[in-house]
Structures are given as C-alpha cells and as structure tokens.
Amino acid sequence: MQIPFNKPYFTGKETTYIKAAVEQMVIASDGQFTQKCQHFFEQQYGFGKCLLTTSCTSALELAALLLDIAPGDEVIVPAYTFVSTANAFVRRGAKVVFADSTPTHPNVDVTQIEALITPQTKAIVVVHYAGVACHMNAVMALANKHQVFVIEDAAQAIHSFYAGKPLGSFGHLAAFSFHETKNIICGEGGMLVINDDRFTKRAEIISRKGTNRAAFFRGEVSQYEWVDVGGSFLPPDTSAAFLYAQLERLVDIQTQRQGIWQRYQQGLAILEQKGHANLPQIPDYAQPNAHIFYIICKSNAERNLLIDYLKKRGIQAVFHYLSLHQSPFYQAQHDGRSLPQSDKYADCLLRLPFFYELPLPQQQEVIRRVIQYFEP
C-alpha cells in the first residue's frame, strides 16, 4: 500500500467549466470565471477588492509594489515560512527582519514584534501557518500604533477564521494560494485581497502591466496607456474556471477535511499523553481550515528516523520549512539573533498525509504506524 502525502481533488466540473471558458472565446484574464471567483470571495468573506493572480507569490509581489517597498525599508517577516514571503520584499530592495515563532505553534510570536519595529519599518507580514490564525487584534494594534502596513500571507488559510472573522480580512492586503497542495486548488494560482481602498485603483493598473487597460475597456478613459510600473500578474480564465468548480464544493471539501483532521488529533493523542511528540495546539481565538496535520518530534534525528520508518512502509510524510534566517542566501544579512522556536519547527515538525480523498483505512494505517514507531 502506497499512501502519498497529497493528492489533488477534482470535483468533476473543472473540465466542463474550462470548456465553457474556451467556448466564450475569452481565455486570457478577466473572463466570466475570473469575475465569478472574485465576486464569490468578496461576497462570501466580506473581503475588499479581490484580484486573482498567477500564484500567491505573485500576489505578494504585487503587494510589495503597491506599498512602494524600496531600498532602505524594513519588513518584519516570520523566519518559519516559505521563501516567497520574504522574497517579494527582498526583490524590492528591502531589508527583511525575521521574527521567531511561538513555543506552542509555528505562527509568529506577536509579543516579539514590537521590539523589531524601527523608523525604517514599512510593513509587518504575518503567516497563518496550517490555516491557524495569528493573534490579529494584537498585530493590528501594533500596526496602528506604529503606522505600518500589515500583509496577511494567508496562502494556507482559505476558510479559516480569527474570532469568527475570515483570515485575509484584517490586513491592509492579504495573499492566498490555490496551489494543488491547498484545500481549494487550480493547479497554480493565487489571489490578492485589498482591504484598504487607497490601493484598489492602483492594484488594477499594476496588475495589468502598469496600464489603464481595465478603465479603457470600461469606457472611463479614451486611451489605453502606460501609466505606472506594473507586471503580468493575472491568470487565464481557464484557471479561474477550474477554481470556480472547486468553490462550488467549498463546504463539502471543508467538512471532509475537518473530519480527517479530527481523526488524526484523536487517534494520535496517545503520543502527547505519553510524551513522545506534540500535536497541534490551536489557540482559542482560531478556527482553522484543516489544511495540515503535523506532529512535533523531540529532535531532528528522531523526526528523520520517523520519516524513513514510514517511507519503508509506503507512507509519505514530509518535513516543512527550513528557517529563512539560516538560509544560504540570507544568513549573512540576518542580524545574528537566535530564533530557537523557528529552528525547532524546522528540525522537528513532520506533516502527515492529508488530502480530501484519503480513505479511512489508509488514515488508520498512518495512525497505527506512527504509534507503532514510538511504541514498538
């Protein structure tokens, strides 16, 4: 029996909607399915203006352009995150200042952020790891106090909530991912959410290569011109067609994933009870989306042995991020602070197989084998 870490889920309507997009003869950006998806997010979650993008990475890069990030600026970023979170701002010449995780969860430790803020700080980026909310009231209070922007890297956080309010609706800007490993997918794809009206018009321009194309086609201007910096950020409507098929099944997908997450939590509780490993700790204010289930081993050596043990039994379990402050690219530019919690998760966190169609017998086999490793 081979149990993969991930398997993309298809609702069955993706190809039907892609065909419909092709038949409309609008397969570039801004077609009917692009509009349907953006409207869905704005209505379902009360987001500000939503713009589909080619990836979450491109959404973050668009955010950096909108904030006019430039050399001399500083951006506070969690050390435990994917490289795109930092890269978007490094590409604009900013200095990235890394923040550590909390002792109980890979999310950024909000209590440490204020000490990192300087007159050069332009923005704070928070990452909702595994779809679990950061403490957004505390983050926004800091941002308001020091007059800096907040960007939510909500790549993993579609349909996750903080105190009942959707993640992605707190920051001035937010970025989502629809990569094939996420809960809702379209292969590659993302979205920028604009919750601050002062960025809405410019986002439309920058995302269309710096032109007033959208305003021109609405008849608002007489000429189609280059009016700002920009790039190619928008996905084809065929990608949006795929995504819309997924959005129609959002509730079903989330219900199924919540069941898988709960079975892991209950089935592996013995690991924590006996001190073998730690399970995810969910803060009271967070209502996560069952994106990832992980355990935290006691050491890097034990984590690696467990990966190998499961692999030999046909189960693909994987580690996750390496601390960005330790990376070959940025280590020399880090200020030298020790970030022990980020390093702990980099060394010890192990993600278990998790996907919509994970059969119950296979999940039970994963649970059995993990327990068997710790208690032969």
Side-chain angles (χ1 to χ4, degrees):
M1 180 191 303
Q2 295 295 316
I3 305 176
F5 170 70
N6 180 64
K7 178 185 175 185
Y9 170 62
F10 305 103
T11 72
K13 285 193 174 180
E14 288 84 358
T15 52
T16 301
Y17 289 165
I18 289 170
K19 182 181 178 184
V22 171
E23 289 173 347
Q24 288 286 320
M25 301 298 287
V26 181
I27 58 172
S29 59
D30 288 337
Q32 62 167 327
F33 286 102
T34 300
Q35 300 302 321
K36 283 176 178 286
C37 289
Q38 292 174 172
H39 181 75
F40 177 92
F41 289 112
E42 291 165 2
Q43 295 300 308
Q44 179 80 12
Y45 299 112
F47 292 153
K49 177 63 179 174
C50 292
L51 287 176
L52 292 189
T53 59
T54 52
S55 64
C56 186
T57 298
S58 62
L60 289 166
E61 291 171 351
L62 179 52
L65 282 166
L66 284 170
L67 297 184
D68 288 321
I69 300 295
D73 291 334
E74 294 179 1
V75 179
I76 297 171
V77 174
Y80 190 73
T81 185
F82 188 56
V83 62
S84 294
T85 313
N87 235 346
F89 307 99
V90 171
R91 288 187 64 183
R92 302 293 303 157
K95 175 185 176 183
V96 169
V97 179
F98 290 115
D100 205 2
S101 299
T102 78
T104 57
H105 193 275
N107 279 347
V108 66
D109 188 341
V110 178
T111 66
Q112 296 189 25
I113 291 177
E114 188 162 28
L116 303 177
I117 296 174
T118 72
Q120 286 72 47
T121 302
K122 190 77 169 281
I124 300 168
V125 184
V126 295
V127 176
H128 303 298
Y129 183 80
V132 178
C134 295
H135 197 325
M136 291 311 299
N137 282 352
V139 171
M140 297 311 297
L142 280 176
N144 291 333
K145 177 180 176 181
H146 294 278
Q147 294 298 292
V148 298
F149 295 109
V150 172
I151 300 169
E152 292 178 76
D153 183 337
Q156 302 173 5
I158 191 66
H159 204 73
S160 291
F161 300 85
Y162 171 88
K165 185 178 178 183
L167 298 185
S169 62
F170 292 89
H172 300 86
L173 302 166
F176 287 88
S177 173
F178 307 118
H179 185 266
E180 70 168 34
T181 56
K182 302 302 188 290
N183 295 27
I184 304 296
I185 66 171
C186 63
E188 290 277 1
M191 180 173 68
L192 180 70
V193 176
I194 304 157
N195 295 313
D196 188 322
D197 289 342
R198 72 186 118 165
F199 298 119
T200 302
K201 183 176 179 180
R202 191 165 183 238
E204 182 181 78
I205 291 169
I206 292 176
S207 66
R208 289 161 176 82
K209 306 170 185 68
T211 71
N212 60 357
R213 178 180 184 272
F216 174 73
F217 281 107
R218 289 195 300 265
E220 297 169 3
V221 294
S222 60
Q223 298 184 91
Y224 175 2
E225 299 176 300
W226 180 17
V227 295
D228 201 342
V229 297
S232 185
F233 293 97
L234 305 182
D237 204 51
T238 46
S239 291
F242 192 115
L243 180 61
Y244 192 68
Q246 297 267 312
L247 294 177
E248 288 185 325
R249 294 290 297 275
L250 175 64
V251 173
D252 171 59
I253 290 170
Q254 284 306 117
T255 300
Q256 177 81 347
R257 294 185 70 98
Q258 291 288 354
I260 294 169
W261 197 96
Q262 291 295 338
R263 284 194 291 275
Y264 270 136
Q265 184 80 355
Q266 293 164 9
L268 294 172
I270 190 174
L271 300 184
E272 201 154 64
Q273 292 164 7
K274 294 201 172 184
H276 296 309
N278 291 323
L279 303 186
Q281 303 296 308
I282 309 300
D284 291 341
Y285 53 71
Q287 297 88 49
N289 64 352
H291 175 56
I292 290 171
F293 194 90
Y294 60 84
I295 65 172
I296 302 166
C297 298
K298 297 300 183 184
S299 69
N300 179 250
E302 184 170 75
R303 196 267 309 273
N304 293 341
L305 286 170
L306 177 54
I307 290 174
D308 188 58
Y309 177 88
L310 295 173
K311 181 179 179 181
K312 288 176 179 176
R313 287 152 181 84
I315 298 169
Q316 184 184 24
V318 297
F319 59 85
H320 213 177
Y321 310 128
L322 302 178
S323 294
L324 293 184
H325 70 290
Q326 303 273 29
S327 64
F329 176 71
Y330 216 78
Q331 187 174 28
Q333 298 173 73
H334 177 55
D335 54 28
R337 284 175 296 114
S338 174
L339 304 177
Q341 302 304 327
S342 176
D343 291 339
K344 176 185 75 175
Y345 297 118
D347 288 343
C348 302
L349 187 146
L350 178 66
R351 295 180 292 160
L352 300 179
F354 201 128
F355 48 94
Y356 177 92
E357 295 173 303
L358 178 62
L360 179 59
Q362 289 194 11
Q363 186 179 12
Q364 290 172 331
E365 174 68 1
V366 175
I367 292 169
R368 185 177 76 86
R369 290 297 191 179
V370 171
I371 294 173
Q372 188 179 69
Y373 170 82
F374 289 104
E375 298 200 339

PDB file of all heavy atoms in Angstrom, residues 251-272:
ATOM      1  N   VAL A 251     -17.900  23.940   0.905  1.00  0.00           N
ATOM      2  CA  VAL A 251     -18.422  23.441   2.174  1.00  0.00           C
ATOM      3  C   VAL A 251     -18.152  21.948   2.315  1.00  0.00           C
ATOM      4  O   VAL A 251     -17.706  21.468   3.366  1.00  0.00           O
ATOM      5  CB  VAL A 251     -19.929  23.739   2.295  1.00  0.00           C
ATOM      6  CG1 VAL A 251     -20.512  23.069   3.535  1.00  0.00           C
ATOM      7  CG2 VAL A 251     -20.167  25.243   2.355  1.00  0.00           C
ATOM      8  N   ASP A 252     -18.387  21.200   1.242  1.00  0.00           N
ATOM      9  CA  ASP A 252     -18.140  19.756   1.266  1.00  0.00           C
ATOM     10  C   ASP A 252     -16.667  19.448   1.497  1.00  0.00           C
ATOM     11  O   ASP A 252     -16.308  18.572   2.304  1.00  0.00           O
ATOM     12  CB  ASP A 252     -18.613  19.142  -0.050  1.00  0.00           C
ATOM     13  CG  ASP A 252     -18.193  17.691  -0.190  1.00  0.00           C
ATOM     14  OD1 ASP A 252     -18.568  16.877   0.668  1.00  0.00           O
ATOM     15  OD2 ASP A 252     -17.472  17.364  -1.152  1.00  0.00           O
ATOM     16  N   ILE A 253     -15.807  20.175   0.801  1.00  0.00           N
ATOM     17  CA  ILE A 253     -14.362  19.957   0.948  1.00  0.00           C
ATOM     18  C   ILE A 253     -13.933  20.229   2.383  1.00  0.00           C
ATOM     19  O   ILE A 253     -13.200  19.445   2.996  1.00  0.00           O
ATOM     20  CB  ILE A 253     -13.583  20.847  -0.042  1.00  0.00           C
ATOM     21  CG1 ILE A 253     -13.793  20.341  -1.476  1.00  0.00           C
ATOM     22  CG2 ILE A 253     -12.096  20.883   0.300  1.00  0.00           C
ATOM     23  CD1 ILE A 253     -13.275  21.281  -2.550  1.00  0.00           C
ATOM     24  N   GLN A 254     -14.424  21.321   2.945  1.00  0.00           N
ATOM     25  CA  GLN A 254     -14.032  21.676   4.308  1.00  0.00           C
ATOM     26  C   GLN A 254     -14.576  20.675   5.336  1.00  0.00           C
ATOM     27  O   GLN A 254     -13.879  20.322   6.295  1.00  0.00           O
ATOM     28  CB  GLN A 254     -14.507  23.086   4.631  1.00  0.00           C
ATOM     29  CG  GLN A 254     -13.667  24.167   3.976  1.00  0.00           C
ATOM     30  CD  GLN A 254     -12.201  23.993   4.301  1.00  0.00           C
ATOM     31  OE1 GLN A 254     -11.384  23.758   3.404  1.00  0.00           O
ATOM     32  NE2 GLN A 254     -11.838  24.069   5.573  1.00  0.00           N
ATOM     33  N   THR A 255     -15.792  20.199   5.135  1.00  0.00           N
ATOM     34  CA  THR A 255     -16.365  19.216   6.060  1.00  0.00           C
ATOM     35  C   THR A 255     -15.544  17.936   6.059  1.00  0.00           C
ATOM     36  O   THR A 255     -15.237  17.370   7.121  1.00  0.00           O
ATOM     37  CB  THR A 255     -17.820  18.911   5.675  1.00  0.00           C
ATOM     38  OG1 THR A 255     -18.593  20.121   5.745  1.00  0.00           O
ATOM     39  CG2 THR A 255     -18.429  17.879   6.606  1.00  0.00           C
ATOM     40  N   GLN A 256     -15.173  17.490   4.868  1.00  0.00           N
ATOM     41  CA  GLN A 256     -14.368  16.269   4.746  1.00  0.00           C
ATOM     42  C   GLN A 256     -13.005  16.436   5.405  1.00  0.00           C
ATOM     43  O   GLN A 256     -12.540  15.556   6.146  1.00  0.00           O
ATOM     44  CB  GLN A 256     -14.204  15.927   3.264  1.00  0.00           C
ATOM     45  CG  GLN A 256     -13.324  14.720   2.976  1.00  0.00           C
ATOM     46  CD  GLN A 256     -14.033  13.404   3.136  1.00  0.00           C
ATOM     47  OE1 GLN A 256     -15.135  13.354   3.699  1.00  0.00           O
ATOM     48  NE2 GLN A 256     -13.427  12.337   2.672  1.00  0.00           N
ATOM     49  N   ARG A 257     -12.362  17.567   5.166  1.00  0.00           N
ATOM     50  CA  ARG A 257     -11.020  17.781   5.722  1.00  0.00           C
ATOM     51  C   ARG A 257     -11.068  17.922   7.245  1.00  0.00           C
ATOM     52  O   ARG A 257     -10.163  17.456   7.946  1.00  0.00           O
ATOM     53  CB  ARG A 257     -10.375  19.019   5.078  1.00  0.00           C
ATOM     54  CG  ARG A 257     -10.086  18.846   3.588  1.00  0.00           C
ATOM     55  CD  ARG A 257      -9.344  20.043   3.028  1.00  0.00           C
ATOM     56  NE  ARG A 257      -7.981  20.091   3.538  1.00  0.00           N
ATOM     57  CZ  ARG A 257      -6.915  19.645   2.880  1.00  0.00           C
ATOM     58  NH1 ARG A 257      -7.048  19.114   1.671  1.00  0.00           N
ATOM     59  NH2 ARG A 257      -5.710  19.743   3.406  1.00  0.00           N
ATOM     60  N   GLN A 258     -12.105  18.559   7.755  1.00  0.00           N
ATOM     61  CA  GLN A 258     -12.226  18.668   9.212  1.00  0.00           C
ATOM     62  C   GLN A 258     -12.335  17.289   9.854  1.00  0.00           C
ATOM     63  O   GLN A 258     -11.780  17.044  10.927  1.00  0.00           O
ATOM     64  CB  GLN A 258     -13.447  19.523   9.579  1.00  0.00           C
ATOM     65  CG  GLN A 258     -13.334  21.001   9.226  1.00  0.00           C
ATOM     66  CD  GLN A 258     -12.361  21.775  10.101  1.00  0.00           C
ATOM     67  OE1 GLN A 258     -11.831  21.250  11.076  1.00  0.00           O
ATOM     68  NE2 GLN A 258     -12.135  23.028   9.753  1.00  0.00           N
ATOM     69  N   GLY A 259     -13.050  16.381   9.200  1.00  0.00           N
ATOM     70  CA  GLY A 259     -13.159  15.025   9.723  1.00  0.00           C
ATOM     71  C   GLY A 259     -11.819  14.315   9.758  1.00  0.00           C
ATOM     72  O   GLY A 259     -11.483  13.626  10.741  1.00  0.00           O
ATOM     73  N   ILE A 260     -11.033  14.468   8.700  1.00  0.00           N
ATOM     74  CA  ILE A 260      -9.698  13.857   8.650  1.00  0.00           C
ATOM     75  C   ILE A 260      -8.818  14.426   9.760  1.00  0.00           C
ATOM     76  O   ILE A 260      -8.115  13.691  10.466  1.00  0.00           O
ATOM     77  CB  ILE A 260      -9.060  14.092   7.259  1.00  0.00           C
ATOM     78  CG1 ILE A 260      -9.857  13.341   6.182  1.00  0.00           C
ATOM     79  CG2 ILE A 260      -7.597  13.650   7.244  1.00  0.00           C
ATOM     80  CD1 ILE A 260      -9.471  13.711   4.765  1.00  0.00           C
ATOM     81  N   TRP A 261      -8.872  15.748   9.930  1.00  0.00           N
ATOM     82  CA  TRP A 261      -8.044  16.402  10.957  1.00  0.00           C
ATOM     83  C   TRP A 261      -8.414  15.895  12.350  1.00  0.00           C
ATOM     84  O   TRP A 261      -7.532  15.575  13.151  1.00  0.00           O
ATOM     85  CB  TRP A 261      -8.230  17.921  10.876  1.00  0.00           C
ATOM     86  CG  TRP A 261      -7.172  18.713  11.567  1.00  0.00           C
ATOM     87  CD1 TRP A 261      -6.059  19.262  10.995  1.00  0.00           C
ATOM     88  CD2 TRP A 261      -7.110  19.046  12.961  1.00  0.00           C
ATOM     89  NE1 TRP A 261      -5.315  19.919  11.945  1.00  0.00           N
ATOM     90  CE2 TRP A 261      -5.931  19.803  13.163  1.00  0.00           C
ATOM     91  CE3 TRP A 261      -7.927  18.784  14.048  1.00  0.00           C
ATOM     92  CZ2 TRP A 261      -5.561  20.288  14.412  1.00  0.00           C
ATOM     93  CZ3 TRP A 261      -7.552  19.269  15.308  1.00  0.00           C
ATOM     94  CH2 TRP A 261      -6.389  20.010  15.479  1.00  0.00           C
ATOM     95  N   GLN A 262      -9.694  15.809  12.627  1.00  0.00           N
ATOM     96  CA  GLN A 262     -10.139  15.359  13.954  1.00  0.00           C
ATOM     97  C   GLN A 262      -9.736  13.916  14.218  1.00  0.00           C
ATOM     98  O   GLN A 262      -9.366  13.563  15.346  1.00  0.00           O
ATOM     99  CB  GLN A 262     -11.662  15.513  14.072  1.00  0.00           C
ATOM    100  CG  GLN A 262     -12.144  16.963  14.123  1.00  0.00           C
ATOM    101  CD  GLN A 262     -11.672  17.704  15.369  1.00  0.00           C
ATOM    102  OE1 GLN A 262     -11.341  17.106  16.381  1.00  0.00           O
ATOM    103  NE2 GLN A 262     -11.642  19.034  15.279  1.00  0.00           N
ATOM    104  N   ARG A 263      -9.799  13.065  13.199  1.00  0.00           N
ATOM    105  CA  ARG A 263      -9.386  11.666  13.395  1.00  0.00           C
ATOM    106  C   ARG A 263      -7.912  11.567  13.726  1.00  0.00           C
ATOM    107  O   ARG A 263      -7.504  10.759  14.564  1.00  0.00           O
ATOM    108  CB  ARG A 263      -9.719  10.843  12.157  1.00  0.00           C
ATOM    109  CG  ARG A 263     -11.201  10.505  12.045  1.00  0.00           C
ATOM    110  CD  ARG A 263     -11.447   9.410  11.022  1.00  0.00           C
ATOM    111  NE  ARG A 263     -11.195   9.853   9.658  1.00  0.00           N
ATOM    112  CZ  ARG A 263     -12.095  10.483   8.897  1.00  0.00           C
ATOM    113  NH1 ARG A 263     -13.305  10.762   9.382  1.00  0.00           N
ATOM    114  NH2 ARG A 263     -11.789  10.835   7.667  1.00  0.00           N
ATOM    115  N   TYR A 264      -7.085  12.395  13.074  1.00  0.00           N
ATOM    116  CA  TYR A 264      -5.662  12.418  13.431  1.00  0.00           C
ATOM    117  C   TYR A 264      -5.479  12.877  14.875  1.00  0.00           C
ATOM    118  O   TYR A 264      -4.723  12.281  15.649  1.00  0.00           O
ATOM    119  CB  TYR A 264      -4.890  13.357  12.501  1.00  0.00           C
ATOM    120  CG  TYR A 264      -4.332  12.720  11.247  1.00  0.00           C
ATOM    121  CD1 TYR A 264      -4.446  13.353  10.008  1.00  0.00           C
ATOM    122  CD2 TYR A 264      -3.646  11.514  11.293  1.00  0.00           C
ATOM    123  CE1 TYR A 264      -3.917  12.795   8.853  1.00  0.00           C
ATOM    124  CE2 TYR A 264      -3.107  10.944  10.138  1.00  0.00           C
ATOM    125  CZ  TYR A 264      -3.248  11.589   8.925  1.00  0.00           C
ATOM    126  OH  TYR A 264      -2.724  11.028   7.787  1.00  0.00           O
ATOM    127  N   GLN A 265      -6.152  13.961  15.226  1.00  0.00           N
ATOM    128  CA  GLN A 265      -5.993  14.538  16.560  1.00  0.00           C
ATOM    129  C   GLN A 265      -6.391  13.525  17.638  1.00  0.00           C
ATOM    130  O   GLN A 265      -5.704  13.372  18.652  1.00  0.00           O
ATOM    131  CB  GLN A 265      -6.842  15.809  16.675  1.00  0.00           C
ATOM    132  CG  GLN A 265      -6.697  16.564  17.985  1.00  0.00           C
ATOM    133  CD  GLN A 265      -5.453  17.424  18.056  1.00  0.00           C
ATOM    134  OE1 GLN A 265      -4.625  17.389  17.149  1.00  0.00           O
ATOM    135  NE2 GLN A 265      -5.296  18.190  19.111  1.00  0.00           N
ATOM    136  N   GLN A 266      -7.477  12.832  17.420  1.00  0.00           N
ATOM    137  CA  GLN A 266      -7.945  11.856  18.404  1.00  0.00           C
ATOM    138  C   GLN A 266      -7.095  10.588  18.388  1.00  0.00           C
ATOM    139  O   GLN A 266      -6.740  10.048  19.439  1.00  0.00           O
ATOM    140  CB  GLN A 266      -9.414  11.516  18.123  1.00  0.00           C
ATOM    141  CG  GLN A 266     -10.355  12.690  18.362  1.00  0.00           C
ATOM    142  CD  GLN A 266     -11.731  12.493  17.738  1.00  0.00           C
ATOM    143  OE1 GLN A 266     -12.052  11.399  17.265  1.00  0.00           O
ATOM    144  NE2 GLN A 266     -12.541  13.552  17.732  1.00  0.00           N
ATOM    145  N   GLY A 267      -6.760  10.122  17.176  1.00  0.00           N
ATOM    146  CA  GLY A 267      -6.025   8.870  17.063  1.00  0.00           C
ATOM    147  C   GLY A 267      -4.600   8.949  17.561  1.00  0.00           C
ATOM    148  O   GLY A 267      -4.033   7.933  18.012  1.00  0.00           O
ATOM    149  N   LEU A 268      -4.003  10.137  17.478  1.00  0.00           N
ATOM    150  CA  LEU A 268      -2.600  10.297  17.877  1.00  0.00           C
ATOM    151  C   LEU A 268      -2.446  10.953  19.253  1.00  0.00           C
ATOM    152  O   LEU A 268      -1.324  11.260  19.660  1.00  0.00           O
ATOM    153  CB  LEU A 268      -1.850  11.119  16.826  1.00  0.00           C
ATOM    154  CG  LEU A 268      -1.712  10.443  15.448  1.00  0.00           C
ATOM    155  CD1 LEU A 268      -1.145  11.407  14.430  1.00  0.00           C
ATOM    156  CD2 LEU A 268      -0.841   9.188  15.537  1.00  0.00           C
ATOM    157  N   ALA A 269      -3.551  11.155  19.950  1.00  0.00           N
ATOM    158  CA  ALA A 269      -3.487  11.811  21.265  1.00  0.00           C
ATOM    159  C   ALA A 269      -2.542  11.091  22.221  1.00  0.00           C
ATOM    160  O   ALA A 269      -1.915  11.719  23.082  1.00  0.00           O
ATOM    161  CB  ALA A 269      -4.885  11.887  21.870  1.00  0.00           C
ATOM    162  N   ILE A 270      -2.398   9.776  22.062  1.00  0.00           N
ATOM    163  CA  ILE A 270      -1.526   8.992  22.938  1.00  0.00           C
ATOM    164  C   ILE A 270      -0.073   9.459  22.868  1.00  0.00           C
ATOM    165  O   ILE A 270       0.674   9.348  23.848  1.00  0.00           O
ATOM    166  CB  ILE A 270      -1.628   7.485  22.596  1.00  0.00           C
ATOM    167  CG1 ILE A 270      -0.911   6.646  23.647  1.00  0.00           C
ATOM    168  CG2 ILE A 270      -1.090   7.205  21.195  1.00  0.00           C
ATOM    169  CD1 ILE A 270      -1.091   5.148  23.448  1.00  0.00           C
ATOM    170  N   LEU A 271       0.328  10.018  21.711  1.00  0.00           N
ATOM    171  CA  LEU A 271       1.713  10.486  21.571  1.00  0.00           C
ATOM    172  C   LEU A 271       2.007  11.604  22.562  1.00  0.00           C
ATOM    173  O   LEU A 271       3.085  11.644  23.173  1.00  0.00           O
ATOM    174  CB  LEU A 271       1.975  10.976  20.145  1.00  0.00           C
ATOM    175  CG  LEU A 271       1.801   9.975  19.008  1.00  0.00           C
ATOM    176  CD1 LEU A 271       2.200  10.622  17.690  1.00  0.00           C
ATOM    177  CD2 LEU A 271       2.627   8.715  19.254  1.00  0.00           C
ATOM    178  N   GLU A 272       1.054  12.511  22.701  1.00  0.00           N
ATOM    179  CA  GLU A 272       1.238  13.620  23.633  1.00  0.00           C
ATOM    180  C   GLU A 272       1.064  13.147  25.072  1.00  0.00           C
ATOM    181  O   GLU A 272       1.803  13.566  25.974  1.00  0.00           O
ATOM    182  CB  GLU A 272       0.241  14.732  23.305  1.00  0.00           C
ATOM    183  CG  GLU A 272       0.646  16.092  23.839  1.00  0.00           C
ATOM    184  CD  GLU A 272       0.044  17.214  23.010  1.00  0.00           C
ATOM    185  OE1 GLU A 272      -1.189  17.327  22.986  1.00  0.00           O
ATOM    186  OE2 GLU A 272       0.809  17.966  22.381  1.00  0.00           O
TER     187      GLU A 272
END
